[in-house]
Amino acid sequence: MRFKLLAALALGLGLSVAFAQTRTLIIAQGTDPTSLDAPLATDSPSATVASHVVETLFYYTPDGKIVPQLVERYSFSPDRKVLTLTLRKGIKFHDGTELNAEAVKFNLERLVSQELASSFAFLLRGRVSAIETPDPLTVRLRMPEPFAPVLAHLTHSSTAIQSPAAIRRLGAGYRDNPVGTGPYKFDRWQKGQFVELVRNDDYWGKKPAIERLRFLAVPEATTRMALVETGQAHVAVRVPPQDVQRLSARPEINVVTTPSVRTIFLYFNQTKKPFDDVRVRKAINHAINKEEIVRFVLGGFGRASDAPISPGIFGYTKIGSYEYNPNLARELLAQAGYNAQNPLRFTLSSPNGRYLQDIRVAEAIQSQLRAVGVQAQIQTLEWGAYLAASNQPRERNEFQVAMLGWGTVTGDADYGLFGLFHTSQQAPNGFNRGFYSNPRLDRILEQARVATNPQARQQLYRSAMQIIYNDAPWVFLHAEQQVTAIRREVQGFIVHPTERLIATEASFRTSAER
């Protein structure tokens, strides 16, 4: 019966019922991409696929270094208000057009344009005042003030340089047909099932060994594990804790644990009563036992968060965590007018399949809240619909309390704090989806962007995170560890701390090498 079910699933995903073809690497993700147009791809599964097709000017390595990618060299002016980039020679987009300075200018100006309305515009908007192209290989970014995280931001997938000709030709359809300079070319996208890429044999750098990549969308963890166990997928993300020991015992599978820069959190929609009351927000913080969730729901594959960003990111400081204290939670709720006769009721929105054990975490929170008299009803949606609903403007936003995760994928606190807590970044302009606002915090985050002394920036971020802690717009839940099942015939596959799954260095072992 199990084989029949998997066979039916395999046919639906466009797989052969026979085990995976050796020339195609098959990767089972939890969700389908939402867009393959880089500035509009707001989640890691989308960025994972897109980053094989399009490339950025700089690259953030798995060990935390920023290195040139499409750029050959770069320099800052003495006052650090001008960044000059020299592009590599002879690179072409997959449609045959040339990568040149005008293409870079086109993409960076498009990212910050009002017309595109990218939520990532904050990476450069207002910080880069002019982009000059004195010759075909030189790009000059002029900034009104020094902009400390500019190189880190140019590693972000939304700043990828895509073919201007293809974007102009395809219009809105470009998001389904990306054209970049990367080691793989887009081939096809069967929505809700898989995306397939084919090797770019004219790639300017080291050519990949594997001819084709297929990214499957498989929300159910049990199905992802079954696919990798039967060889119908080579890689499966987010191994459930209860499956780790069983999969590790299988000689044909490696279970790999990798740190992540992602923090999982609950946010409160502060335009909705009673979440405009800090006593209610703090009560919920005190009612949730994060250590218990990490231990029993995540099987230890995580770390209870003590700040809105994770260790290892520039600007991180341990701020602290609200003590698990159900009695104090009840007391704060009573002060806000809630008790056994008038219990607090709300809808807790949660993704399903996007993060490790996400719906199980939501259920644990629901149970812990019930212990202090709070009745939370869990609601989940398909991932794309979930993101769209959470990104509605305040007058149409129906979410009350919701779970999301944020990976600070540039390695700099500006990306992890400005985009999520600054007033200017409230949805749908940015990722501040709880509509939090504190003018003092805004000023500190703005100062940290232009400070040139790293120690001064560290201190500013410490102050910023202390304000966030005091205001409690979030429940900082936990930082994930990535647990990935990879079949042993695959070598060189990279699970990046930013959650990108990178197959460009991967290859299949021969039977003799296994």
Coordinates of all heavy atoms in Angstrom, one line a residue, residues 14 21 43 48 50 86 110 150 172 249 269 291 299 306 365 386 390 403 408 410 413 422 426 438:
G14 N 5.8 14.3 -11.5 CA 6.5 14.2 -12.7 C 7.7 13.4 -12.6 O 8.7 13.5 -13.3
Q21 N 16.5 9.4 -11.6 CA 17.5 9.4 -12.7 C 18.8 10.0 -12.2 O 18.8 11.0 -11.4 CB 16.9 10.2 -13.8 CG 15.6 9.7 -14.3 CD 15.0 10.7 -15.4 OE1 15.8 11.4 -16.0 NE2 13.7 10.6 -15.5
D43 N 10.8 34.6 0.3 CA 11.0 33.4 1.1 C 12.1 32.6 0.6 O 12.5 32.6 -0.5 CB 9.7 32.6 1.2 CG 9.3 32.0 -0.2 OD1 9.1 32.9 -1.1 OD2 9.3 30.8 -0.3
T48 N 16.1 30.0 -2.9 CA 17.0 28.8 -3.2 C 17.0 28.5 -4.7 O 18.0 28.3 -5.3 CB 16.5 27.6 -2.4 OG1 17.0 27.7 -1.1 CG2 17.0 26.3 -3.0
A50 N 15.9 30.5 -7.2 CA 16.3 31.6 -8.0 C 17.8 31.8 -8.0 O 18.4 32.2 -9.0 CB 15.6 32.9 -7.5
T86 N 33.8 47.3 -10.3 CA 34.3 46.9 -11.6 C 33.8 45.5 -11.9 O 34.1 44.5 -11.1 CB 35.8 46.9 -11.7 OG1 36.3 48.2 -11.4 CG2 36.3 46.6 -13.1
R110 N 15.4 49.3 -10.4 CA 14.1 48.6 -10.4 C 13.8 48.1 -8.9 O 12.6 48.2 -8.5 CB 14.2 47.4 -11.3 CG 13.0 46.5 -11.4 CD 13.1 45.5 -12.5 NE 11.9 44.7 -12.6 CZ 11.8 43.4 -12.1 NH1 12.8 42.9 -11.5 NH2 10.7 42.8 -12.3
V150 N 26.2 48.4 3.2 CA 26.0 48.3 1.7 C 26.5 47.0 1.1 O 25.8 46.4 0.3 CB 26.5 49.6 1.0 CG1 28.0 49.7 1.1 CG2 26.0 49.6 -0.4
A172 N 5.0 41.2 -16.4 CA 4.7 40.5 -15.2 C 5.0 39.0 -15.3 O 5.2 38.3 -14.3 CB 3.2 40.7 -14.9
A249 N 20.1 5.7 10.8 CA 20.5 4.3 10.8 C 20.6 3.7 9.4 O 21.1 2.6 9.2 CB 19.6 3.5 11.7
N269 N -0.4 41.8 15.9 CA -1.0 42.9 15.1 C -1.5 43.9 16.0 O -2.5 43.8 16.6 CB -2.1 42.3 14.2 CG -2.6 43.4 13.2 OD1 -2.5 44.6 13.5 ND2 -3.2 43.0 12.2
E291 N 11.7 26.9 26.2 CA 12.6 25.8 26.4 C 12.0 24.4 26.2 O 12.5 23.5 25.6 CB 13.2 25.9 27.8 CG 14.1 27.1 28.1 CD 15.4 27.1 27.4 OE1 15.8 26.0 26.8 OE2 16.1 28.1 27.4
G299 N 12.8 18.5 19.4 CA 13.8 17.4 19.7 C 15.2 17.9 20.0 O 16.2 17.2 19.7
D306 N 17.0 34.7 22.6 CA 17.1 35.7 23.6 C 17.3 37.1 23.0 O 17.7 38.0 23.6 CB 18.3 35.4 24.6 CG 19.6 35.0 23.8 OD1 19.7 35.5 22.6 OD2 20.4 34.3 24.3
I365 N 2.0 25.9 21.6 CA 1.7 27.2 22.1 C 0.2 27.3 22.5 O -0.2 27.8 23.6 CB 2.0 28.3 21.1 CG1 3.6 28.4 20.9 CG2 1.4 29.6 21.4 CD1 4.0 29.2 19.7
Y386 N -0.7 32.4 2.7 CA -0.3 32.9 4.0 C 0.5 34.2 4.0 O 0.2 35.1 4.7 CB 0.5 31.8 4.7 CG 0.8 32.0 6.2 CD1 -0.1 31.5 7.1 CD2 1.9 32.6 6.6 CE1 0.1 31.7 8.5 CE2 2.2 32.8 7.9 CZ 1.3 32.3 8.9 OH 1.6 32.5 10.2
S390 N -0.7 37.9 5.3 CA 0.1 38.6 6.4 C 0.6 40.0 5.9 O 1.0 40.8 6.7 CB 1.2 37.8 6.9 OG 2.2 37.6 5.9
M403 N 2.7 33.3 13.3 CA 4.0 32.8 13.3 C 4.7 33.1 12.0 O 4.2 32.9 10.9 CB 4.0 31.3 13.6 CG 5.5 30.7 13.7 SD 5.5 28.9 13.7 CE 4.5 28.5 15.0
T408 N 18.4 36.4 8.9 CA 19.2 37.6 8.7 C 20.3 37.1 7.7 O 21.4 36.9 8.1 CB 19.7 38.2 10.0 OG1 18.6 38.4 10.8 CG2 20.4 39.5 9.8
T410 N 22.0 38.5 5.4 CA 23.2 39.3 5.0 C 24.2 39.2 6.1 O 25.3 39.8 5.9 CB 22.7 40.7 4.8 OG1 22.3 41.3 6.1 CG2 21.6 40.9 3.8
A413 N 22.9 43.1 11.3 CA 21.7 43.4 12.1 C 20.7 44.4 11.4 O 19.5 44.4 11.7 CB 22.0 43.9 13.5
H422 N 11.2 49.0 11.9 CA 11.1 50.4 11.6 C 9.7 50.7 11.1 O 9.1 50.0 10.4 CB 12.2 50.8 10.6 CG 12.4 52.3 10.5 ND1 11.5 53.1 9.7 CD2 13.3 53.1 11.0 CE1 12.0 54.3 9.8 NE2 13.1 54.4 10.6
Q426 N 6.2 49.1 7.7 CA 5.0 48.4 7.9 C 4.4 47.9 6.6 O 4.5 48.6 5.6 CB 4.0 49.4 8.6 CG 4.4 49.8 10.0 CD 3.5 50.7 10.7 OE1 2.4 51.1 10.2 NE2 3.8 51.0 12.0
N438 N 7.8 52.7 17.1 CA 8.4 53.4 18.3 C 9.4 54.4 17.7 O 10.4 54.0 17.2 CB 9.1 52.4 19.2 CG 9.6 53.1 20.4 OD1 10.2 54.2 20.4 ND2 9.5 52.4 21.6

